Each structure stands twice: as C-alpha cells, then as structure tokens.
Amino acid sequence: MQIISSLSELRTARLSLTGRVGLVPTMGYLHEGHLSLVRRAKEECDHAIVTIFVNPTQFGANEDLSKYPRDMERDLNLLHPLGVDVVWTPTAEIIYPPGYQTWVEVDALTKGLEGAMRPGHFRGVATVVAKLFNATQPHKAYFGQKDAQQAAVIRRMAVDLNFPLEVIISPTTREADGLAMSSRNKYLNEAERKAATVLFRALSAAKELYEAGERDGETLRRKMKDVLSNESLVQVQYVSCADYDSLEELDVVTGKTLLSMAVYLGKTRLIDNFVLG
Ligand code: PAF
C-alpha cells in the first residue's frame, strides 16, 4: 500500500496502475461503512485508491472544522489488510493552491434539504470530488447512500461534467440497532446514543406505511415526525419525502422515493434516509 501526499507522486502511482481503478474518497476517521466501500471497490476493480482529506470548503462557518475527528495511523491500519493500492492524503495547499478561485456548483439539487441547512456545503463537496476525480482518474467511484443528497449531487455532476467514470452508491451500513454508521456518532453521550435509534425507527415506520399501500407524501412525512417527537432529546431540522433523482418534495409517491431527515441530538447533527420503490 503506497501512502502518498504529493500530487506528482500520486500521478506517477496512478500511471503504474493498469486495469480498472476504483476510488473511495473519504475524510478519514474510517468506520465499517467506508471499509465496505473499499471492499466493494476491490471486488469490482483491479485496483483501489482511497483518499483521506478533511475538506475545509464543505464546512460552514458554524461547523467546527478543527474538531472533525482525525486519526491517520488508525485509518491506515484499517486500510492495510484490505489490499488498497494507493492512499492519497493531500494537504489543503495541494487541493486549494494559493489564489484558488475555481468552484463547481450543482444548481437546483443543492437548494433544499442539507443544502438549505448548510449553505455552501455542496459547492465544497462538488469541487473537491471533481478535483479528486481529476487527480485519480478512476473508472468507478464509490459513495455511501447515507449522504443521499451528496450522492445525488455527485451523480449529477459526473454526468454534467462528462467524467468518464461510473458513480456507485452503496447501501448504508448500520449498527445492530439500526443507527447509520457515521464518524459523528462518536460525539453522542450514552443517553443520546440510545435515543439515536429513533431516526431508524421513524424511517422504518414510514416505510411500513408505504408497504401497506400509503402513497400520500404528507402522511409519510407526518409519520416520521410523530415517531421523532416521542424522543425528547431530539430536535428535528427537517423531514422529507422527495423524488429520488430531483429531490423535490412529493405530494404523491409514484416512483423511486427518498425518505430523509436531519436531527440534532444535543450538539450532534445526524442524518439518515431510506430509499423506497
Ligand atoms: O462523504 C464524505 O466523506 C465527503 O463529503 C467526501 C465525499 C469525501 C468529500 O469531501
């Protein structure tokens, strides 16, 4: 496993990889969700590149970049047994050289949901992912369904900017009690961790209604809100029942649909979603 920070060394390493290359972009502090993406990349491609970069431009002014969890040694130890070929750990100066002023903006898809709560977030995500695609030239790039809007934005961007690669979205990896795996879960205290299963319970309750034949978007949103409101530690930011591709809120569910939500548990912000249909 080659561990590289400079761009020129990465380019040399990339040139030496013949066959199909799978990319797993991460911000580090890896958990089983990331590792399952790496395993899938290894299964489906000849080589796997993992990037570890805590991207400053996707953090808002009120989101503490300096407190984002980091543990490079642990991350590398987790990646080593998986047969990763290259780990790229660029510095912020490599990704954003002095005088930097070029940005990728995905329009309508970034207006609602996470985009409405976190202005500028998806501009940072789309820009860094485009740069990671350019630097690593993968055939396939792997992302988790947990960040559903991010997945939609990256799929759109890859098509719009003619990246010659396939964007693969893998199902969310969950703890035994249903909590979606996330680097942020480590911020939860014991009571919050227990309460955090309410996201999975709310999504499951709405899915059950859907499976029983309910197609009214507002009824599904109300069901999720009702379940969340039973948990006193939870503060709801949004609950959504939207079209899977356009992310527009639905009055009536017809095709592939995204149920999603964001809540605060204490100071920790959690998101989760289910795909229906
Ligand atoms: O999902 C993440 O970890 C990040 O948003 C990504 C895609 C690595 C871009 O910084």
Side-chain angles (χ1 to χ4, degrees), residues 21-277:
V21 170
L23 168 69
V24 182
T26 81
M27 297 211 299
Y29 213 74
L30 304 178
H31 52 67
E32 184 48 39
H34 298 111
L35 303 184
S36 73
L37 298 180
V38 175
R39 281 190 210 101
R40 187 163 172 192
K42 281 296 293 182
E43 270 163 34
E44 296 181 357
C45 305
D46 302 302
H47 302 285
I49 301 181
V50 175
T51 61
I52 300 179
F53 177 63
V54 182
N55 175 33
T57 64
Q58 68 188 74
F59 285 76
N62 58 343
E63 299 171 352
D64 201 343
L65 166 67
S66 67
K67 287 215 178 93
Y68 195 83
R70 294 163 168 89
D71 191 341
M72 186 63 81
E73 197 181 325
R74 177 178 159 278
D75 288 346
L76 296 176
N77 285 336
L78 286 169
L79 292 175
H80 204 265
L82 303 186
V84 171
D85 296 82
V86 175
V87 182
W88 189 38
T89 62
T91 59
E93 290 69 31
I94 291 173
I95 300 291
Y96 301 109
Y100 191 83
Q101 49 183 300
T102 305
W103 301 97
V104 178
E105 297 226 31
V106 179
D107 200 351
L109 269 182
T110 62
K111 297 272 188 272
L113 306 175
E114 291 300 288
M117 301 293 142
R118 306 178 68 188
H121 171 68
F122 288 115
R123 179 172 99 140
V125 170
T127 301
V128 80
V129 171
K131 292 178 68 85
L132 297 173
F133 285 175
N134 277 334
T136 60
Q137 309 264 306
H139 296 86
K140 294 188 181 203
Y142 295 82
F143 300 86
Q145 174 58 35
K146 157 128 187 313
D147 294 301
Q149 190 173 12
Q150 168 172 285
V153 166
I154 292 168
R155 285 201 321 262
R156 184 74 253 163
M157 180 200 68
V159 172
D160 290 355
L161 296 185
N162 308 109
F163 278 106
L165 53 82
E166 204 182 327
V167 174
I168 311 276
I169 309 300
S170 254
T172 303
T173 311
R174 296 181 181 278
E175 305 283 358
D177 63 5
L179 177 65
M181 287 195 187
S182 162
S183 307
R184 288 170 205 259
N185 294 349
K186 83 168 210 116
Y187 297 131
L188 301 169
N189 65 29
E190 203 181 323
E192 290 164 353
R193 172 63 188 81
K194 259 193 198 151
T197 58
V198 75
L199 286 86
F200 182 72
R201 286 186 275 120
L203 290 162
S204 302
K207 185 176 175 215
E208 216 172 281
L209 277 187
Y210 170 84
E211 281 170 353
E214 183 60 67
R215 292 294 181 270
D216 181 58
E218 192 47 36
T219 305
L220 296 176
R221 284 185 285 270
R222 203 171 336 110
K223 184 69 187 175
M224 293 187 277
K225 282 183 199 154
D226 285 349
V227 176
L228 291 172
S229 69
N230 288 330
E231 187 49 74
S232 61
L233 291 177
V234 160
Q235 257 195 304
V236 178
Q237 254 200 336
Y238 68 77
V239 159
S240 161
C241 171
D243 177 78
Y244 177 78
D245 288 309
S246 71
L247 302 183
E248 277 167 23
E249 287 301 320
L250 293 170
D251 293 329
V252 180
V253 171
T254 46
K256 203 169 173 184
T257 299
L258 183 74
L259 300 178
S260 66
M261 57 183 58
V263 309
Y264 271 101
L265 265 164
K267 289 203 168 100
T268 309
R269 188 169 184 278
L270 297 180
I271 58 172
D272 201 354
N273 68 84
F274 275 11
V275 179
L276 305 177

